[in-house]
Amino acid sequence: MSRANPISKMMRQFAPKIVLNSRSEYSVKHDQLLNDLIDAKVMLFCVIGTDCETWHDVMDDLIVGDGVTRRDFVMTTTWHTDETLEEVIEFARTFHIDGSVNHNVQVIEI
C-alpha cells in the first residue's frame, strides 16, 4: 500500500520589480499569481495592456487584505495605459526602492 506524500507549496522566485503585460482581461483565476507576488514581497508591480487598471485595482485590494496581515512591507503598484512595454520596463528599471536602484525587472506575460 503506498502513501501519498503531501505536496508542499513551492515559493516561486520573482524579481523585486514586476511588469505584467496583460493580453487578457483580469479574472479571479489569476489571483493565485497575484497572491504569489505578494507572498514573495515584490516591491514594484507595474501592469500594462488589456484591462490594466482592473489588474492594478485587484492587486491593491489583495495587498490590503484584512488590513492587518499583509502590512509587513510596501508594494508600489502602477498601471500604464498610454505607454509601450519598453517604456514601462525602463520606468521599472529606474524606479528607486529603499533609497537604491535595483535594475532587476521581470516581465510576466499573461
Side-chain angles (χ1 to χ4, degrees):
M1 174 188 252
S2 65
R3 244 177 105 166
N5 292 333
I7 298 172
S8 62
K9 182 180 174 185
M10 298 288 292
M11 174 67 77
R12 290 175 65 178
Q13 297 294 315
F14 295 103
K17 300 173 182 179
I18 298 294
V19 174
L20 179 79
N21 186 17
S22 172
R23 295 174 185 212
S24 62
E25 291 184 359
Y26 163 78
S27 165
V28 295
K29 71 181 181 181
H30 298 114
D31 283 359
Q32 185 60 55
L33 169 64
L34 299 179
N35 279 300
D36 288 348
L37 294 171
I38 294 168
D39 291 343
K41 298 185 190 254
V42 166
M43 301 301 290
L44 176 66
F45 174 77
C46 303
V47 63
I48 185 171
T50 304
D51 208 17
C52 64
E53 190 172 351
T54 300
W55 282 92
H56 169 270
D57 292 346
V58 169
M59 178 59 99
D60 279 352
D61 289 343
L62 290 171
I63 290 168
V64 171
D66 62 9
V68 177
T69 57
R70 296 207 169 174
R71 293 192 174 257
D72 57 341
F73 77 107
V74 175
M75 179 191 293
T76 301
T77 60
T78 63
W79 78 92
H80 304 263
T81 54
D82 296 322
E83 296 169 69
T84 66
L85 178 60
E86 292 75 22
E87 289 171 326
V88 177
I89 292 169
E90 182 62 17
F91 166 81
R93 195 182 72 69
T94 60
F95 187 85
H96 291 266
I97 296 175
D98 293 334
S100 65
V101 177
N102 181 326
H103 299 292
N104 246 349
V105 176
Q106 181 179 357
V107 176
I108 297 173
E109 303 224 350
I110 196 161

